[in-house]
Amino acid sequence: MTVRIRKAVFPVGGLGTRFLPATKAMPKEMLPVVDKPLIQYAVEEAIAAGIEHFIFVTGHGKTAIEDHFDSNIPLQVQLQKEGKEDLVRFLKDSTLESGKISYTRQSEPKGLGHAVWCARDLVGDEPFAVLLPDDLFHCKVPCLKQMVDEYPKTAGNLVAIEDVPEEKTSHYGILSLSSDDGKMVKVNGMVEKPAPGTAPSRCAILGRYILSPEVFNELDKQKTGAKGEIQLTDAMAETLDKVPFHGMRVEGKRFDCGNKIGFLMANIEYALDRPDLSEEFKAALKTLSF
Ligand code: UTP
């Protein structure tokens, strides 16, 4: 069966407190890795996976994201006058086609599950992708594309996973596995942020999901879980007896840009990978003492 994943949800309603004061007036998702905001990496990944409609769940103070994906005619005209066609291309590359993008607001940041639930009417009754922009994947084949390619074999719910050290399991949604072939795992349970020493495995859910619309029936119940938030993991767990659930180890490197070390590491990796920067940057790094 061919299942096309046409719509992607980008939850961007969180407070980003770990990056204060940078995020006092600027969305966390607009933090740049080298020279591109995190949210643009996620959108480009979705485009590469064949996504046709982009649904942003925003909140207070997030309008910079809407402006970012709109055109900026005065700037474009100015750059064209100056003959800076390469910069004009950057502006065009980050402009999404009218009608292909929707914004809905999460009136309060009540958790990731609540943010996804806010997109229910825009998604409708079809499987859809969710991308958390603070998980940045540096992959030869973009992460969501790898998942979309596997999805016809699994259907149901499919999440990207990574094996994390025991002491980090309490930071993630953790899966309980009924089988594991090294790449794909079949899931029979999951728990959000298990207390230290209680995790059912070291298999952590990352910020890429393909979800069956069944999850909205559970999110409708608005049950709160870990940290008093409406957790996506809890709603997905409730669908386990209704739809198959798989996790996939994707090929590539993941940076958790929601925390400072991950964000700094991503900047270094992406700068070293840039032909226009890498040599000069390597030389500059060598002048640091540590
Ligand atoms: P995080 O768990 O990193 O939370 O959200 P946060 O509020 O953004 O950041 P900190 O922990 O305070 O620093 C992961 C993703 O889910 C979105 C965030 O915007 C981010 O993209 N999110 C989270 C929502 O859209 N709504 C929420 O209520 C919570």
Side-chain angles (χ1 to χ4, degrees):
M1 188 181 52
T2 322
V3 192
R4 269 183 59 226
I5 309 298
R6 302 186 310 124
K7 299 183 182 179
V9 175
F10 301 86
V12 293
L15 298 175
T17 54
R18 284 171 288 171
F19 274 92
L20 282 168
T23 48
K24 185 179 172 197
M26 180 185 80
K28 169 176 82 171
E29 299 79 9
M30 288 299 291
L31 287 170
V33 168
V34 185
D35 51 11
K36 198 192 284 185
L38 282 169
I39 186 66
Q40 192 177 333
Y41 287 97
V43 165
E44 287 176 359
E45 184 185 324
I47 292 170
I51 296 296
E52 296 164 6
H53 197 104
F54 306 84
I55 301 166
F56 291 77
V57 181
T58 72
H60 181 79
K62 301 283 180 165
T63 45
I65 295 175
E66 296 185 35
D67 289 339
H68 183 74
F69 290 107
D70 202 356
S71 50
N72 182 340
I73 300 298
L75 180 56
Q76 189 175 319
V77 168
Q78 183 60 34
L79 292 171
Q80 269 160 345
K81 259 195 226 156
E82 292 170 12
K84 295 180 174 160
E85 287 306 322
D86 49 341
L87 298 184
V88 171
R89 190 173 46 78
F90 287 147
L91 293 190
K92 289 187 176 165
D93 285 351
S94 56
T95 305
L96 289 171
E97 195 185 331
S98 299
K100 300 276 184 195
I101 182 163
S102 302
Y103 295 95
T104 187
R105 270 178 94 110
Q106 187 186 22
S107 53
E108 268 179 76
K110 293 186 187 173
L112 178 60
H114 183 258
V116 171
W117 177 77
C118 292
R120 65 200 180 283
D121 286 352
L122 292 165
V123 169
D125 191 23
E126 60 183 280
F128 62 103
V130 176
L131 297 95
L132 307 191
D134 40 11
D135 258 346
L136 180 59
F137 287 85
H138 199 206
C139 307
K140 255 199 206 123
V141 178
C143 175
L144 187 65
K145 166 90 175 113
Q146 294 182 43
M147 295 171 70
V148 162
D149 288 347
E150 288 295 322
Y151 189 71
K153 292 185 211 152
T154 65
N157 293 330
L158 176 64
V159 296
I161 56 169
E162 185 175 284
D163 300 291
V164 298
E166 181 81 48
E167 66 276 13
K168 292 267 170 75
T169 49
S170 58
H171 299 221
Y172 293 90
I174 300 290
L175 300 178
S176 157
L177 313 180
S178 59
S179 70
D180 183 350
D181 73 4
K183 176 177 175 184
M184 279 289 179
V185 303
K186 201 161 174 4
V187 178
N188 60 13
M190 69 199 76
V191 50
E192 182 63 28
K193 300 190 174 56
T198 66
S201 76
R202 293 197 295 110
C203 211
I205 304 174
L206 306 180
R208 297 293 181 275
Y209 311 71
I210 299 176
L211 297 178
S212 148
E214 186 68 38
V215 76
F216 290 125
N217 297 331
E218 296 307 323
L219 290 170
D220 278 340
K221 297 176 189 162
Q222 304 277 292
K223 270 198 224 152
T224 52
K227 289 167 72 190
E229 294 182 347
I230 298 171
Q231 297 288 354
L232 182 58
T233 305
D234 296 343
M236 293 189 306
E238 292 296 329
T239 68
L240 276 169
D241 56 348
K242 298 174 195 95
V243 290
F245 199 115
H246 291 84
M248 177 176 169
R249 293 186 182 90
V250 290
E251 280 171 32
K253 228 190 239 179
R254 192 239 351 172
F255 296 92
D256 177 3
C257 293
N259 83 58
K260 288 173 195 135
I261 299 295
F263 175 73
L264 293 168
M265 292 292 285
N267 270 283
I268 293 170
E269 166 104 351
Y270 277 72
L272 290 175
D273 201 41
R274 280 269 296 261
D276 60 329
L277 296 175
S278 77
E279 286 315 311
E280 202 180 333
F281 185 49
K282 268 185 219 159
L285 283 176
K286 283 189 192 136
T287 67
L288 297 178
S289 46
F290 54 89

